[in-house]
Amino acid sequence: MVPGADDAETEAQQLRDRRRLKEMEGDAEALRTRVTSAIDAAVATRTADVRPPTSIVWSVIGLLQYILTAGLLFAGLWIAAVFLLHAPFASVDVPVLGPIPTPLVVLAALLLAGFLLARLLGAHAGLLGRRWAHRLRVDLSRELEQRLRDVLLARLDTIDAARERIARARSTIERGVARRD
């Protein structure tokens, strides 16, 4: 054995290992770039034509809320007129509370109606939003799956196609050799 040959061989092996590691890092970075591009393209494709849901129910509820707002303004003015001008007013007899001024009953009823309309609007918007989000999620998942399959399995498809070509060429060569014999 030549002294120092093992050291040179070890250094050469380490150099080859570093090169392979750099190549693998480059391959990993290229794969990361392709996957990132595929995800960006899938999201851009799917979200390009996305429109949030709308409903005619929302317009109707909005109109009713305007009417309730006008009623609240009227009830507020009525209460102000009763207390500032000492205007006469009727009262409603409530079993436990006794007589309650009519303007306060109207105000309470309008506030309750506004609350119920707001809850109805929230429930309906939530329902439509959940349906829309589910459709968007399914479409985006499908698009992502297709694009990632194209990116990640493209090399495997190329390798498989090359294997098939090699197998066909090999069988053609073997048939040619067999005919000569």
Side-chain angles (χ1 to χ4, degrees):
M1 272 205 126
V2 178
D6 288 336
D7 292 339
E9 193 173 307
T10 303
E11 287 180 29
Q13 180 63 37
Q14 287 176 351
L15 183 61
R16 285 191 298 270
D17 289 344
R18 281 191 215 116
R19 285 184 189 149
R20 276 192 227 132
L21 183 60
K22 284 186 180 181
E23 288 174 7
M24 288 191 315
E25 287 174 355
D27 289 345
E29 187 60 36
L31 179 62
R32 186 178 305 119
T33 302
R34 288 197 319 261
V35 168
T36 303
S37 298
I39 291 171
D40 289 345
V43 170
T45 300
R46 183 56 205 122
T47 58
D49 60 340
V50 172
R51 289 190 320 225
T54 59
S55 174
I56 189 72
V57 173
W58 299 350
S59 298
V60 171
I61 290 175
L63 178 65
L64 291 175
Q65 285 179 329
Y66 278 123
I67 293 170
L68 283 174
T69 302
L72 286 171
L73 182 64
F74 172 73
L77 290 174
W78 190 5
I79 291 171
V82 165
F83 287 108
L84 294 177
L85 302 176
H86 301 289
F89 59 88
S91 62
V92 177
D93 287 327
V94 178
V96 176
L97 301 175
I100 296 179
T102 304
L104 289 178
V105 172
V106 170
L107 180 66
L110 290 171
L111 287 173
L112 178 64
F115 174 76
L116 293 175
L117 275 177
R119 298 301 296 167
L120 178 65
L121 177 63
H124 190 260
L127 176 70
L128 290 183
R130 282 187 298 276
R131 286 181 185 168
W132 177 64
H134 177 71
R135 281 193 308 268
L136 186 62
R137 184 174 42 250
V138 167
D139 291 347
L140 186 57
S141 295
R142 190 178 318 121
E143 185 73 24
L144 275 172
E145 184 179 315
Q146 178 63 38
R147 294 212 183 234
L148 289 177
R149 185 181 305 124
D150 291 347
V151 167
L152 296 176
L153 302 180
R155 292 180 103 181
L156 294 177
D157 291 342
T158 305
I159 291 170
D160 286 343
R163 271 191 202 146
E164 288 177 16
R165 286 193 309 270
I166 291 170
R168 283 195 305 266
R170 182 178 170 201
S171 65
T172 303
I173 291 170
E174 287 175 352
R175 278 183 285 180
V177 169
R179 284 186 201 158
R180 280 195 222 162
D181 292 339

